[in-house]
Amino acid sequence: MTIRLLGRRNSCNVQKVMWMLDELELDHDHVEIGGAFGGNDSAAFLSLNPNGTVPVLKDGGLTLWESHAILRYLAAQYGSGRFWPEDPVDRAVVDQWTDWTATTFQPAWIALFWQVVRTPAPQHDAEAIAAALHRTYRSFEIMDTRLASSPWLAGDAFSIADIAAGAALYRWSSMEIDRPELPHVEAWHERLSERRAFREAVCRSFEELRGRTAY
Ligand SMILES: N[C@@H](CCC(=O)N[C@@H](CS)C(=O)NCC(=O)O)C(=O)O
């Protein structure tokens, strides 16, 4: 049974799953849904994900939404201990950083992305941009401090925590903003850039999203 990923390739949450599927070298179908493609408000799609959001993963009898739940599932089912360790202590640290991205880092950087890229330029609000940048920078400082003492967010091994947070890096580094120096984040970005799966999934133009607030 083929794995099927539903979701537009220019969604950062879909990109996390694309990246993971590629790391695991898993054969799969990919169906573009959401954004300019639409289809995510259809009854058929809502029966898969009542939130009407992407990504959704189908694998055999399983239908799964929430990008980080999908990362955990793929690692558990196909990773043989890679990317989401079986040891409870190591796993807890991966989960800590993955959940921190969901609750703290991603809301901050997505708010910045909306202010700078999704909001049409004539409606840009300098104060809102500065506030979003400040909040995002605070998260990057936390990562920079962490990455000063370990190559990957959860320690010595690359994990789903790096995928969850690393999905932001292309947009962060190419948005039209003043970026503070973050030497350890930059070194981590370079390490991630050595991974083909990161380059293929994440380093993609987001021009189609510029000035679009409809989705
Ligand atoms: N917490 C969810 C968020 C899902 C989400 O908000 N997806 C956005 C794209 S990043 C979406 O479906 N937007 C509507 C659309 O693309 O039409 C996850 O991590 O999967």
Side-chain angles (χ1 to χ4, degrees), residues 7-8 10-14 16-17 33-41 45 49 51-56 65-70 102 106 110 114 118 171 209 214-215:
R8 56 184 168 90
N10 61 8
S11 142
C12 67
N13 290 311
V14 173
K16 294 171 190 173
V17 181
I33 285 191
F37 298 93
N40 51 322
D41 56 357
F45 186 82
N49 179 1
N51 300 288
T53 53
V54 293
V56 170
W65 39 267
E66 278 300 327
S67 57
H68 296 180
I70 296 171
Q106 185 157 319
I110 290 282
W114 271 79
R118 304 292 297 260
R171 293 181 184 193
L209 301 174
Y215 50 81

Side-chain angles (χ1 to χ4, degrees), residues 12-178:
C12 67
N13 290 311
V14 173
Q15 290 177 357
K16 294 171 190 173
V17 181
M18 291 161 57
W19 180 358
M20 184 65 170
L21 287 165
D22 198 2
E23 291 281 353
L24 293 168
E25 297 180 33
L26 290 171
D27 279 341
H28 62 281
D29 292 343
H30 192 148
V31 184
E32 297 270 20
I33 285 191
F37 298 93
N40 51 322
D41 56 357
S42 69
F45 186 82
L46 291 170
S47 74
L48 302 177
N49 179 1
N51 300 288
T53 53
V54 293
V56 170
L57 186 93
K58 293 190 73 164
D59 187 18
L62 175 70
T63 300
L64 197 59
W65 39 267
E66 278 300 327
S67 57
H68 296 180
I70 296 171
L71 296 180
R72 290 184 172 100
Y73 165 71
L74 289 172
Q77 184 72 285
Y78 301 108
S80 311
R82 284 181 305 154
F83 311 138
W84 193 43
E86 280 160 19
D87 175 80
V89 171
D90 294 341
R91 177 173 287 194
V93 179
V94 172
D95 282 343
Q96 168 192 274
W97 285 101
T98 306
D99 291 358
W100 173 82
T101 288
T103 59
T104 305
F105 171 50
Q106 185 157 319
W109 84 259
I110 290 282
L112 178 65
F113 187 72
W114 271 79
Q115 292 291 340
V116 174
V117 176
R118 304 292 297 260
T119 301
Q123 292 159 34
H124 276 190
D125 173 340
E127 253 179 51
I129 291 176
L133 184 57
H134 179 76
R135 228 171 106 222
T136 307
Y137 178 49
R138 178 71 197 111
S139 283
F140 271 114
E141 271 185 329
I142 289 169
M143 282 192 276
D144 204 60
T145 303
R146 166 61 174 171
L147 291 163
S149 60
S150 72
W152 305 108
L153 277 179
D156 290 335
F158 171 82
S159 74
I160 61 166
D162 299 291
I163 295 181
L169 287 178
Y170 180 76
R171 293 181 184 193
W172 163 255
S173 61
S174 35
M175 262 189 261
E176 303 80 5
I177 47 167
D178 290 330

